[in-house]
Amino acid sequence: MSEATTSAADVRIPTAASVPAHRDPNVLRWVGAYTASMVGDMVFFLALSWAAVQNGTPAQAGLVTAVSAVPRALLMLGGGVVADRLGPRRVVIGSDTVRCVTVLAVAAVLFAADPGLWLLALLAVVFGTVDAVFMPAVGALPARITHKDQLARVQGMRGLAIRFAAVVGAPLGGLGVAVGGAAAAFAFAGLLIAVSVPLLISVRMRDLPADDASAARETTAWRDLLGGLRYVRRHRVLGPLMVAIALGDLGFVGPLNVGLTLLADERGWGASGMGWVLAGFGTGAGVAALLLTVRGRLPRAGCVAAGSIIPGAAAIAALAHAPGLPVAVGTAVLVGLLTGLSGAMCGALLQTQSDPAYLGRVTAVGGIVSLGIAPLSMPLSAAAIGVWGTGPVFAVSAAVCGLGGVVALCAPGVRRAELPK
């Protein structure tokens, strides 16, 4: 069942002229809910890492923190079907409620006893399973709360929320651990996620067009899933765009995660130097998100999305040859700006080119690419750097990333894609 056919008790947005997203109270309530949830996530993962390290060996702690990725990757396509069948608003509210209750329950147990790693592993599995439904629903929700000409601006606002959560979440999590240990940090994470629930309940939905609503009605969940995959594969923009995103993430995730750590160690920058480089990347990506939030629309969106990948890939290769930390930080700003702009534009195109009835499944396919395929490059990058060094591996990664831009530019649908006016 699509959200367009849910009960009349749901509050709907009238189909009037669109309001700029950054001035729309309805959109701002959603952004506030999303921000609170993302900050809660950051606090949660820090608390989980801390508790795992305190209760086991480094290898066991790594396993606990990584185990949530398994159900997230395996179940996300099904989560996209759930989001499209039940409606993203219901799914986001339900999944945030489950995450809040689960984290608070674990916090209560940790206050009373020390159950060991098994509870933390179970919590990670539950969180990853719920995320498999939550993430596609989050991707499908913007199309239901505003009009198409505002979706690019909403994508920029969402990017700013993610950067804000990354900057604020870790210090808040550290404060929670310092004050009351992992239990207090988990409680704080649960309360932050709880803030999002009443805000989400107050968000009003926009009715789907009749053709989109009828497209959402497949006879079975399995046919919904296959229908979503066919829709992405046959779409003149979404199909090649997914390939470009996959190549871009494969070439980007390794160098900017494990590769950067090894580069900082090789150059003697230390943990603080690596932190400065990451801050430079975050700053550049934040500027890109802010640009899209303020402008709302950039002309020749497909060319911008594809064209910015290629110089961003060149900057990734140059990062391995930076003569000193200041140059590395400046290069990281450029990487963040270009890849952040490309990522924001790709996200905006996914939002605006997809029929809203398919957005949960489209988001799920993109999530599988980013969360299921791209992380595979991290161990490969680490092993390759051990054999060939940082320079060659960063160069190969940049070539893979740049190939994504070439694929997008060679696809007429992507090259000519525009954001709605």
Side-chain angles (χ1 to χ4, degrees):
M1 174 174 71
S2 77
E3 188 155 345
T5 62
T6 56
S7 68
D10 288 342
V11 181
R12 303 277 179 185
I13 296 176
T15 56
S18 60
V19 177
H22 61 292
R23 299 176 185 171
D24 186 347
N26 195 53
V27 175
L28 293 177
R29 285 193 295 271
W30 176 79
V31 172
Y34 182 73
T35 303
S37 184
M38 290 299 99
V39 175
D41 278 2
M42 293 295 296
V43 175
F44 164 78
F45 284 111
L46 188 144
L48 181 68
S49 300
W50 179 265
V53 168
Q54 297 300 307
N55 285 275
T57 65
Q60 290 172 329
L63 182 62
V64 167
T65 55
V67 73
S68 64
V70 177
R72 187 186 300 123
L74 292 178
L75 301 176
M76 191 171 292
L77 285 177
V81 173
V82 172
D84 285 335
R85 289 176 71 89
L86 300 182
R89 179 175 179 269
R90 288 182 175 184
V91 174
V92 171
I93 292 172
S95 56
D96 255 358
T97 301
V98 171
R99 298 196 310 161
C100 171
V101 171
T102 304
V103 174
L104 290 176
V106 170
V109 172
L110 290 177
F111 272 121
D114 185 12
L117 285 174
W118 70 267
L119 179 64
L120 300 176
L122 178 62
L123 174 62
V125 170
V126 171
F127 219 80
T129 301
V130 177
D131 268 355
V133 180
F134 173 80
M135 297 178 78
V138 165
L141 197 55
R144 313 293 183 99
I145 63 175
T146 190
H147 294 263
K148 271 196 171 185
D149 64 327
Q150 295 300 315
L151 286 175
R153 181 171 273 124
V154 171
Q155 190 70 19
M157 296 168 72
R158 183 180 175 185
L160 288 176
I162 293 172
R163 296 302 157 196
F164 177 83
V167 171
V168 172
L172 287 179
L175 178 63
V177 170
V179 171
F186 277 128
F188 191 27
L191 292 175
L192 284 167
I193 296 173
V195 169
S196 70
V197 176
L199 288 172
L200 288 169
I201 291 173
S202 70
V203 172
R204 297 170 298 157
M205 295 289 105
R206 184 175 69 88
D207 285 318
L208 288 180
D211 55 338
D212 290 337
S214 62
R217 300 189 194 109
E218 301 283 351
T219 56
T220 65
W222 178 249
R223 287 187 62 187
D224 279 0
L225 190 152
L226 294 179
L229 293 176
R230 284 195 299 270
Y231 174 75
V232 172
R233 179 172 58 84
R234 295 173 179 175
H235 199 285
R236 65 187 187 88
V237 176
L238 299 181
L241 195 60
M242 288 295 183
V243 175
I245 291 171
L247 290 169
D249 283 348
L250 278 170
F252 177 80
V253 170
L256 265 295
N257 285 276
V258 63
L260 181 58
T261 303
L262 296 174
L263 179 64
D265 180 66
E266 177 186 291
R267 296 298 183 85
W269 297 338
S272 62
M274 184 180 70
W276 278 108
V277 175
L278 287 173
F281 164 73
T283 299
V287 170
L290 181 61
L291 172 65
L292 197 56
T293 300
V294 173
R295 289 290 303 272
R297 181 184 183 275
L298 296 178
R300 301 183 63 82
C303 284
V304 172
S308 56
I309 295 177
I310 297 173
I316 290 174
L319 187 60
H321 302 283
L325 183 58
V327 176
V329 173
T331 305
V333 172
L334 184 61
V335 172
L337 178 63
L338 292 170
T339 59
L341 180 61
S342 174
M345 295 303 288
C346 285
L349 287 171
L350 291 181
Q351 288 281 322
T352 56
Q353 293 290 324
S354 302
D355 286 338
Y358 287 95
L359 260 175
R361 284 163 284 179
V362 170
T363 304
V365 173
I368 290 291
V369 166
S370 298
L371 299 174
I373 298 176
L376 297 176
S377 66
M378 289 193 286
L380 293 176
S381 295
I385 288 173
V387 176
W388 293 294
T390 54
V393 173
F394 271 61
V396 171
S397 297
V400 173
C401 188
L403 182 60
V406 173
V407 168
L409 287 174
C410 290
V414 176
R415 192 171 61 249
R416 298 168 186 165
E418 294 280 4
L419 297 177
K421 295 183 179 179

